[in-house]
Amino acid sequence: MLNVNKRISTRLRSQFLLLVVLLMSGTSAFSNIKLPKLISDGMVLQRDTPLKLWGWASPKEQVTLTFGGKQFTATADQEGNWMIMLPAQPAGGPHELNFQGENQVAVRDVLFGDVWLCSGQSNIELTMDRVKYKYPDVVQQVNLPQIRQFEVPDVYDFQGPRKEVSGRQWLPATTQNILKFSAVGFFFARDLHQKYQVPIGLINAALGGSPAEAWMSETALKPFPTAYQEAQQYKDQNFIKQVEEKDRDVQNSWYARLNQTDEGLKNNWRSATLNDADWKTMNLPGFWADGELGNVNGVVWFRREVQIPASLVGKSAEILLGTIVDADSVFINGQFVGTTSYQYPPRRYKIPANLLKEGKNVVTVRVINSGGRGGFVPNKPYYILAGEEQIDLTGPWKYRLGAKMDPLPGSTVIRWKPTGLYNAMIAPLTNYSLKGVLWYQGESNAGRPGDYAALMKSLIINWRAQWNQGNFPFLLVQLPNFMAPKTTPQESNWAAMRQAQLETLAVPNTGMAVAIDAGEANDIHPLDKQTVGHRLALVAQRVAYGDKNVVATGPLLKCMKRKGNKLVLTFTNTGSGLVSKDGKPLSYFAIAGSDHNFVWAKAEVKGKKVTVWNDAVEKPVKVRYAWADNPEGANLYNQEGLPASPFEAAVGEKK
């Protein structure tokens, strides 16, 4: 009995001590000052402006900042929020900030420079990792520690604005980190850093596929009833759960049925020894809808025999398969080498050592297409790469339908819904002073371009109000050229979106980089991010840094008059003069008479003006330039090499 009582007493004492420790640690954690993740080692703070430095502590706790031999104090409010105003500081560093409350927090390696917020969708989110093969020297040699990036994690919240972002840290642009940087952001920052010799901070808060409404606050959305009501709907967690469960059930059922009926899985079509004599042949790259198979959805298997010379055996190798619509799994000699679950990323898979053998090798690709036209996107790289040697994979492949399916019903992407990204990825940043914003977005709004100019005006005004810094520069990228060129004047949502983006320039202190020559017809994610970053930097020099001598953009239409059967267009931003980039007659101008039927027109440069006409149109009332998804061949530039913005205008309109 004595031993039993002793054990009970020991247990009670241990539980009591544990309770004391927990209570003490809880009190300590509550009283410790805490900084937001943005205010952390390696950060770049905006130079030459008073700064807000903020955080959390116990109610009424005094917080002291020691910096540059001076002290600044604040007292936390009843909820534990505190804020210290730091006087404007010149560019430079590194510095250290020391915060003292019940505990002490030191923030080291702090630079003062210019801070730019990079936001929008995938083309600004896209990292240097995606373009590393286009810019190998940059990736392998970069050492610009005064250019730094903070990546905001991709999260959403419909309940209201958050105070803090999750995860991440400030990283310098060195070889160890460069692959994580926004590619557009990095090239933009590099240009500015080289010119102004000040640190540049990038805050990368972007998400692929996101529409503008997702980045707007509830206040900014109020003029747009449909989006505003949708935002209210998604505040209901039970509603979100129901939507997600329904989508998950539909997708799981579709893929389960696909895998159960796929003859290729049943009969091991990945095998290198499979007899494919009865398979049909098609040339790749290409889409099977254009051939005998027709526009079917489901699974199609492809096989090709490849002869590998002895010189490549044992070498490090990769297989490049362009891009594939939609998902693929790739096998070499029956062994799995890589997979991608959606259409956009380039397929570039490492081939395990010693997998390739001298002589015949078999490449097998299982392609899942859930809707639309499945296949291999043309004008992309298709080959096996070993050292500097390439084995071409274009041409005839064997193919066979594995399973035919009805198209997979579309699912609801919750994170793209109105206000969600603003609340979680933008609102927590609004205390952090900026030089300006880089905005590259619009692809996801291209299906409804009519309200985009109004959406962007509301977004810009609201963001500026939330930061309370006045009209900070807001620089946007106009949509690049994309999709197949057309030979006749046609309507185009992408052209209408570019017009809406052009109209956004009516908002004060905005600027736009034109990118209609920096895209790719077959890729919504063009790799040329250096051109876009460079043009944004030119716009920034004019709008944000006040350099009136820089030619920041290509020609922009100023006004238009009709003289007889001709339209005379006057442009701004002509630089050293208007030119045809390729020396050929100006192309991609179209005019319309009162019937509003657009036809191609002739055009000539005359000083800062362009005269446009078609002898068959006696009284033109409208003109368009580069009005197409992909205005390939549009050649109006200034002599500085910057392209004119696409536009539509009517006689009598004021610009």
Side-chain angles (χ1 to χ4, degrees), residues 10 31 113 136 170 203 235 264 294 341 347-348 428 523 564 579 608 610:
T10 301
S31 63
W170 287 93
I203 301 176
K235 289 181 179 181
S341 62
R347 274 56 170 180
R348 189 166 187 143
D523 201 331
V579 296
K608 293 184 178 182
V610 173

Side-chain angles (χ1 to χ4, degrees), residues 269-495:
W269 288 355
R270 63 186 283 182
S271 171
T273 60
L274 178 75
N275 182 355
D276 59 13
D278 60 344
W279 287 34
K280 296 183 178 180
T281 301
M282 71 176 287
N283 286 323
L284 296 182
F287 299 95
W288 61 71
D290 297 327
E292 184 178 345
L293 190 57
N295 193 16
V296 300
N297 303 120
V299 176
V300 181
W301 291 73
F302 294 85
R303 288 170 55 85
R304 178 175 172 132
E305 292 185 1
V306 181
Q307 294 295 319
I308 298 295
S311 60
L312 299 189
V313 175
K315 283 189 175 181
S316 175
E318 294 178 297
I319 183 169
L320 284 72
L321 291 172
T323 55
I324 298 174
V325 185
D326 294 300
D328 62 279
S329 297
V330 179
F331 310 88
I332 295 180
N333 296 330
Q335 182 172 326
F336 173 77
V337 296
T339 186
T340 302
S341 62
Y342 65 110
Q343 71 179 74
Y344 296 117
R347 274 56 170 180
R348 189 166 187 143
Y349 305 130
K350 292 190 179 298
I351 300 175
N354 301 319
L355 179 56
L356 295 177
K357 58 186 180 181
E358 183 180 359
K360 186 182 80 170
N361 293 255
V362 178
V363 178
T364 305
V365 184
R366 179 184 188 239
V367 179
I368 298 174
N369 174 247
S370 59
R373 289 159 51 87
F376 296 70
V377 177
N379 300 314
K380 295 286 185 179
Y382 293 90
Y383 53 82
I384 291 174
L385 177 66
E388 297 183 357
E389 297 188 63
Q390 296 181 8
I391 305 295
D392 184 27
L393 295 178
T394 63
W397 284 63
K398 295 287 190 72
Y399 77 91
R400 188 167 183 176
L401 181 66
K404 183 177 180 179
M405 299 282 291
D406 290 331
L408 174 63
S411 59
T412 302
V413 184
I414 304 293
R415 62 184 184 173
W416 293 345
K417 293 301 178 180
T419 75
L421 300 181
Y422 172 84
N423 286 338
M425 298 178 66
I426 298 299
L429 313 177
T430 54
N431 280 332
Y432 204 88
S433 294
L434 304 176
K435 182 70 171 180
V437 172
L438 306 183
W439 177 261
Y440 192 164
Q441 192 275 335
E443 298 91 337
S444 290
N445 287 82
R448 40 193 174 84
D451 60 357
Y452 191 75
L455 284 168
M456 287 308 302
K457 180 179 180 181
S458 184
L459 183 150
I460 295 168
I461 291 172
N462 183 254
W463 280 24
R464 286 172 170 171
Q466 295 303 313
W467 259 273
N468 194 28
Q469 286 185 225
N471 290 344
F472 56 62
F474 194 100
L475 314 181
L476 61 111
V477 179
Q478 197 179 51
L479 288 185
N481 49 310
F482 177 54
M483 295 179 279
K486 303 291 173 56
T487 58
T488 57
Q490 296 185 16
E491 296 305 315
S492 162
N493 278 342
W494 273 57

